[in-house]
Amino acid sequence: MIAQNVMQTLAQKIIARAAGRQSVVPGEIVTCALDLALMHDSGGPRRVKPMLEKLGAKVWDPEKIVVITDHYLPANNEESRNIIRIAREWVKEAGVTRFHDGIGICHVVLPQKGYLRPGMFAVGGDSHSPTGGAFGAYMFGIGATEMLGVLVTGEIWLKVPHTILVEWHGSLSTAVSAKDMMLALCAKLGLDGGQYQAIQYCGDTVARLSMQERMTLCNMTPEVGAQTGLIAPDQVTAAYLESVGVVGIDTAKWQTDPGAPILAQHLFSADKLEPQVAAPHSPANAGPVSVHRGTKINTAYIGACTGAKIEDLRMAARVLKGKHAASHVRFVVAPASAQDQKMAEEEGTLKILVAAGAELLGNSCGICAGYGDDRLSENEVAITSTARNFKGRMGPGSSQVYLASPYTVAASAIKGEIADPREMLHD
Amino acid sequence: MTDHEQTAGRAWVFGDDVDTDVLAPGKYMKSSIEELSRHCLEAVEPEFAASVRVGDVVVGRRNFGAGSSREQAPQALKHLGVAAVVAESFAGLFYRNAMNLGLAVVVCSDAGKIRAGDRLRVDPGAGRIENLTHHEVLSCEPIPAHLMQMLEDGGLMASLEKRLAKERTP
């Protein structure tokens, strides 16, 4: 038998709890009970409804299911409208009351509604589901058929992951953000360096990040091939959760024990980090902005769960205040949720962006997912605050996407070419 | 013997990090699987969808299936008749999705030895690939037992049907 006082990582502790065990060991296969299952309109109802009907099965617990529409919005063609309609009808049939329709991207809306808390074991029907890890939850993405299995049984199998520590120390410079931290990690680890294990972000830099910036870290974890990325809860987590009505959480319980087994530890210095840009067609093609400085762009896009939350919009506004995007640049802003947009409106951030020439798109996945009509055109060159720039994702194979922080996207919009935001912002 | 054992087919060889955006392009994600499949891998191999035959094997190097959770990526390969995907390593999400759909995915550290057009016979359960063109046998990681059962059932749907039928039998 395993001793009671075995040292475990945060990931192990959550999995052990969900598997009904005292402890688990990396590498063993366990079955876990789900606390929450998140679906969006693309991989959700339109895919699982026919499968549930074929099985003649009902969902295991409608209270633990959240459905948020975000991929096929705005629904400006027949297929998209049909997909959204299926979602609306299905939640009624299934008795799912946690349904949020057209108010933002699922990963951003989920914490706003107070659905996440430390120690939760959750899945989402989208690869960016590890965003929930920012709240000390173990959350990962699955496909539609696996979601069907979850909906029917309330369980999922899992190979207990090893934990990889990504530790940041020091202070981020002006115009450097969580997005730059992740692009630097992509460059260092490559697209598969996470080995489908669990990454835990830690260190004093991470401790000083706001919840939205922590979400950006966890959100991009799939880009290095880890199953999830998580951050142990602290006062910042507790304060955020309290603001959305989640009180009395136990932060002390959900920490990695000293001496717990760690597969690898990657140390980074925030002091030395420069703004990063990832060249087409991989997030791992990242390097300092100076490498790509001067590259002409057609489009600058602030959008997605990765890069259009209120703090991302503020970063862009800091650079753009009193300035205007270059005349030949299409500057597009799609706030990640209605709530983020409302805050931006009330505080004046949105006004700055619009005055700088921003074309506003809806609170949905938009160009990032490449599902709708807002796609890049042949040979179009874009710089975006999104997570992924694989060939053909956001437009035809000839389009080119550079990934960067909202600061760098905004600076590039002004210049009409990739630019260093530090030259426009001074403390 | 099941459909997944002893499959034989031509190898289609790709490199590292074959991603879900090239396997299942977003532009066609609202279309039927028939339509989507016609564009599978077109960004890197325009002839693939039109030329691939039932029983063929897709071969990658590192991190095959990187990116999205969209299971249309393995589903398109399965729809086109691909019998198995062999690679040095797989993205975790793609690996789970493929198995759930009943598409065999086989981890083989020697995947780089396979050349385009080689005739392959893949036995996922035994963890063995026979290269009929070069008369060599490549060993691979056997598929874990709990997944092999699901694969033999034909994927997660079939496996759930079996489980529910058992539960409903008094």
Side-chain angles (χ1 to χ4, degrees):
Chain A
M1 281 302 290
I2 296 159
Q4 293 285 309
N5 61 349
V6 63
M7 295 296 141
Q8 294 193 96
T9 63
L10 171 58
Q12 284 172 272
K13 286 182 186 179
I14 299 172
I15 292 164
R17 202 266 308 144
R21 298 259 301 268
Q22 278 293 327
S23 62
V24 290
V25 180
E28 70 171 315
I29 288 169
V30 294
T31 299
C32 291
L34 270 310
D35 299 310
L36 183 144
L38 166 70
M39 286 185 278
H40 55 54
D41 47 310
S42 182
R46 73 151 166 162
R47 303 290 318 285
V48 298
K49 181 182 151 82
M51 291 192 274
L52 281 166
E53 283 168 359
K54 191 173 172 216
L55 288 176
K58 290 214 174 330
V59 300
W60 103 103
D61 187 351
E63 304 279 305
K64 289 180 177 162
I65 298 167
V66 179
V67 178
I68 298 171
T69 55
D70 57 12
H71 274 62
Y72 287 102
L73 293 171
N76 47 17
N77 54 59
E78 192 181 338
E79 294 102 322
S80 299
R81 281 192 290 275
N82 190 40
I83 291 165
I84 298 294
R85 185 171 57 87
I86 293 169
R88 289 172 182 161
E89 289 173 358
W90 183 79
V91 292
K92 274 192 196 155
E93 278 166 38
V96 172
T97 55
R98 293 170 159 191
F99 173 55
H100 304 287
D101 195 11
I103 63 161
I105 305 170
C106 61
H107 310 299
V108 177
V109 172
L110 195 67
Q112 284 174 0
K113 295 292 171 188
Y115 295 152
L116 290 172
R117 59 207 65 204
M120 260 191 169
F121 183 85
V123 292
D126 188 275
S127 63
H128 289 113
S129 300
T131 311
F135 298 84
Y138 195 97
M139 188 161 183
F140 61 105
I142 58 173
T145 299
E146 187 131 50
M147 183 59 82
L148 168 81
V150 164
L151 294 181
V152 173
T153 66
E155 295 175 346
I156 195 164
W157 70 269
L158 184 81
K159 190 174 185 179
V160 178
H162 291 273
T163 292
I164 297 170
L165 290 182
V166 171
E167 197 170 328
W168 283 86
H169 293 287
S171 301
L172 292 169
S173 309
T174 301
V176 179
S177 68
K179 177 65 178 286
D180 300 297
M181 294 165 72
M182 285 312 289
L183 290 175
L185 185 70
C186 290
K188 180 165 178 185
L189 296 190
L191 293 181
D192 61 351
Q195 303 170 58
Y196 209 51
Q197 307 299 319
I199 289 178
Q200 186 174 340
Y201 300 97
C202 56
D204 59 87
T205 315
V206 175
R208 281 192 300 275
L209 291 178
S210 66
M211 284 316 299
Q212 284 204 339
E213 282 284 86
R214 293 179 186 190
M215 284 165 68
T216 302
L217 295 186
C218 295
N219 174 277
M220 280 193 69
T221 306
E223 272 46 82
V224 293
Q227 185 177 43
T228 196
L230 60 181
I231 297 170
D234 58 13
Q235 308 90 304
V236 177
T237 325
Y240 178 99
L241 290 175
E242 207 182 312
S243 77
V244 294
V246 180
V247 290
I249 59 153
D250 186 353
T251 56
K253 188 176 174 186
W254 303 110
Q255 304 290 326
T256 288
D257 294 325
I262 298 300
L263 181 67
Q265 183 179 24
H266 300 284
L267 279 170
F268 289 88
S269 167
D271 301 311
K272 294 178 193 152
L273 185 67
E274 295 178 64
Q276 303 283 303
V277 171
H281 296 283
S282 167
N285 286 343
V289 61
S290 54
V291 177
H292 303 289
R293 204 167 165 271
T295 302
K296 298 274 182 253
I297 56 152
N298 309 115
T299 298
Y301 176 50
I302 304 277
C305 49
T306 315
K309 304 175 287 299
I310 181 65
E311 291 186 25
D312 300 309
L313 303 178
R314 284 176 190 149
M315 290 178 210
R318 276 186 68 195
V319 177
L320 285 157
K321 192 170 186 180
K323 300 198 176 87
H324 200 278
S327 57
H328 69 276
V329 168
R330 182 187 181 207
F331 175 43
V332 186
V333 177
S337 77
Q339 190 186 96
D340 290 292
Q341 180 158 345
K342 186 163 176 278
M343 284 172 80
E345 266 166 19
E346 286 170 359
E347 70 188 25
T349 297
L350 203 67
K351 204 174 163 187
I352 295 170
L353 299 177
V354 171
E359 171 192 341
L360 285 182
L361 293 187
N363 308 129
S364 62
C365 302
I367 309 175
C368 177
Y371 282 17
D373 294 343
D374 281 311
R375 284 170 58 82
L376 303 178
S377 55
E378 293 286 351
N379 302 308
E380 189 167 349
V381 181
I383 186 162
T384 74
S385 64
T386 65
R388 218 169 257 165
N389 58 346
F390 296 137
K391 192 174 185 178
R393 176 178 173 84
M394 294 169 62
S398 63
S399 58
Q400 309 268 314
V401 176
Y402 291 82
L403 303 175
S405 75
Y407 286 123
T408 307
V409 172
S412 305
I414 295 167
K415 287 259 192 174
E417 57 187 41
I418 295 178
D420 189 335
R422 291 172 299 182
E423 292 168 12
M424 302 183 195
L425 273 186
H426 306 283
D427 269 339
Chain B
M1 190 168 293
T2 73
D3 292 347
H4 294 291
E5 291 167 19
Q6 307 294 312
T7 51
R10 295 174 308 165
W12 289 81
V13 176
F14 299 90
D16 291 342
D17 301 318
V18 171
D19 65 72
T20 52
D21 287 293
V22 300
L23 287 162
K27 188 178 176 184
Y28 305 101
M29 280 290 287
K30 57 181 178 290
S31 314
S32 64
I33 190 65
E34 289 76 19
E35 172 65 12
L36 176 71
S37 300
R38 280 195 274 276
H39 303 281
C40 178
L41 290 165
E42 73 179 359
V44 288
E45 178 71 72
E47 297 304 307
F48 176 76
S51 311
V52 68
R53 282 187 237 141
V54 172
D56 282 357
V57 177
V58 165
V59 180
R61 299 296 292 268
R62 279 172 54 177
N63 201 29
F64 190 95
S68 162
S69 65
R70 63 185 77 163
E71 70 177 10
Q72 286 89 339
Q75 196 182 9
L77 294 174
K78 193 177 157 77
H79 182 79
L80 293 169
V82 170
V85 185
V86 174
E88 289 169 26
S89 64
F90 288 89
L93 239 168
F94 179 90
Y95 183 90
R96 293 186 76 115
N97 281 341
M99 290 293 190
N100 286 327
L101 292 171
L103 172 66
V105 279
V106 180
V107 178
C108 176
S109 57
D110 286 334
K113 290 184 179 171
I114 300 167
R115 297 284 164 259
D118 284 359
R119 301 279 306 173
L120 305 178
R121 185 171 287 160
V122 182
D123 185 343
R128 189 172 182 276
I129 299 169
E130 201 179 334
N131 189 327
L132 304 176
T133 307
H134 296 295
H135 309 288
E136 72 181 330
V137 173
L138 307 176
S139 66
C140 347
E141 288 179 20
I143 290 172
H146 75 294
L147 289 178
M148 199 58 216
Q149 183 57 55
M150 185 175 73
L151 198 58
E152 282 177 354
D153 288 343
L156 182 59
M157 261 300 274
S159 181
L160 282 169
E161 270 175 334
K162 227 167 97 176
R163 177 172 160 175
L164 289 174
K166 215 179 273 178
E167 283 171 14
R168 282 166 189 160
T169 311

